[in-house]
Amino acid sequence: MARIICVAGARPNYMKIKPVMDALERRGAEVFLVHTGQHYDASMNDVFFRDLGIRSPDRYLGSGSGTHAGQTGRVMAAFEPLVDELAPDAVVVVGDINSTLACALVTAKAGPLLAHVEAGLRSRDWSMPEEVNRVATDRVSDYLLAPSPDAAANLRAEGYREDQIHVVGNVMIDTLLANLERARESDVLDRYGLARGGYGLVTLHRPANVDDPDSLRGLLKALGEIAGRCPLLLPVHPRAAERLAELGVPAGIRLVPPAGYLDFIALQDSARLVLTDSGGVQEETTALGVPCVTLRENTERPITVSEGTNVLAGTDPERVLATVNRVLDDPPAPRCPALWDGRASERIAEVLLDGPDAHARLRPTDLGPPGAGAAPHHP
């Protein structure tokens, strides 16, 4: 029986790790769920475990918040003895948070096989901590589990071996499709007095948007003008709450507490459009066929633009307003990438339990010199 550790640490991880755990256990694997504790408040943690039916973690590392270095170091220090104790055959990490990188580095040095779910996503924006985490995690992984062909193409361009790269589809969509009917039974629209198609949904949490008062003020100005045409609902991320309270929000923008998973899917599903700086929301709106306007200059999920319902607007207030008006006038037609079919986790389990041993980990010489297919270096 294969022994596999699955790691989760923050809200974006929970929807990704649940279907992978289920698929591995259906195939007879012994699965240990490790929660690093990177997100630990009830609104970002407990409600998601309850909504998704995730069992209690086998181990909780309690890393807490802090600087990138401090948080990453605490997770590494707590995870290292656990890997030694459990002696897993493989460790599965998901996404691009600090916990992902921390557990990947420990695993790569300890010896078990390492599988990265969502491998190959690239924004090419080195100011994003997530981009550093993604690239570094891919670099030490044995199994690169890509959600889409463009992600696999990124990996090939960086020189990874073909036998490492597996296009498996999007595990976020596995969770979405498995819970969509339950979400549609939510009474969240009634609670907020909303009608289907009668509002826009907004999420803001990235530091570039919410930590700089000038940037946030500009976005709020644009959102205020949009709200004159389409009322906006903004579930407040803890990161943005204090800034929004300081600046105040224009009329037509309604602030509400953070939503649980099922309520948030219901809100996305019934929205006229969604405005977001979240990568996961770009994917969920594409799967739901709901127009999405991304408030960022780039995206690591370009397939949601080329084969989905996402439009990249940047953060300039005038451009955001013009983009939203265009989308409201002429919404993109619903479409969804191949393999976003609810079976990505089954394909991942097949790779990990039935695939060839990928333990011949890449060495620097395998990638060649810089400029010859080598992984990109931080500038």
Side-chain angles (χ1 to χ4, degrees), residues 170-209:
N170 191 327
V171 290
M172 286 274 288
I173 308 309
D174 289 19
T175 298
L176 174 67
L177 295 178
N179 290 280
L180 186 54
E181 289 310 311
R182 288 175 61 217
R184 286 172 172 164
E185 294 171 0
S186 166
D187 65 350
V188 67
L189 267 65
D190 292 336
R191 271 184 273 141
Y192 292 139
L194 301 171
R196 184 175 183 87
Y199 64 95
L201 180 66
V202 182
T203 78
L204 291 172
H205 79 284
R206 292 202 175 274
N209 284 340

Side-chain angles (χ1 to χ4, degrees), residues 201-247:
L201 180 66
V202 182
T203 78
L204 291 172
H205 79 284
R206 292 202 175 274
N209 284 340
V210 302
D211 288 358
D212 181 342
D214 289 337
S215 296
L216 183 56
R217 192 176 290 111
L219 283 175
L220 288 174
K221 181 177 183 296
L223 293 175
E225 294 192 44
I226 293 163
R229 180 174 180 187
C230 177
L232 298 178
L233 187 79
L234 200 170
V236 181
H237 190 284
R239 182 178 193 94
E242 186 175 336
R243 294 288 189 195
L244 290 170
E246 290 172 359
L247 296 176

Side-chain angles (χ1 to χ4, degrees), residues 3-8 30 32-36 58-61 74-93 99-115 142 359 361:
R3 173 177 287 190
I4 298 177
I5 293 177
C6 289
V7 177
E30 182 183 17
F32 288 84
L33 174 59
V34 174
H35 189 321
T36 69
D58 296 294
R59 298 294 174 89
Y60 182 79
L61 304 185
R74 285 194 300 274
V75 173
M76 291 181 71
F79 190 60
E80 185 177 48
L82 184 58
V83 171
D84 185 56
E85 173 194 340
L86 295 178
D89 298 295
V91 173
V92 178
V93 295
S99 296
T100 303
L101 176 60
C103 294
L105 291 173
V106 168
T107 303
K109 294 183 178 184
L113 292 166
L114 176 64
D142 300 289
H359 212 341
R361 196 186 306 278

Side-chain angles (χ1 to χ4, degrees), residues 86-135:
L86 295 178
D89 298 295
V91 173
V92 178
V93 295
V94 297
D96 52 25
I97 64 171
N98 289 338
S99 296
T100 303
L101 176 60
C103 294
L105 291 173
V106 168
T107 303
K109 294 183 178 184
L113 292 166
L114 176 64
H116 184 204
V117 176
E118 286 196 336
L121 296 184
R122 298 289 184 267
S123 69
R124 297 177 175 83
D125 179 356
W126 285 104
S127 69
M128 295 176 64
E130 298 92 340
E131 183 75 354
V132 179
N133 291 344
R134 290 181 202 113
V135 172

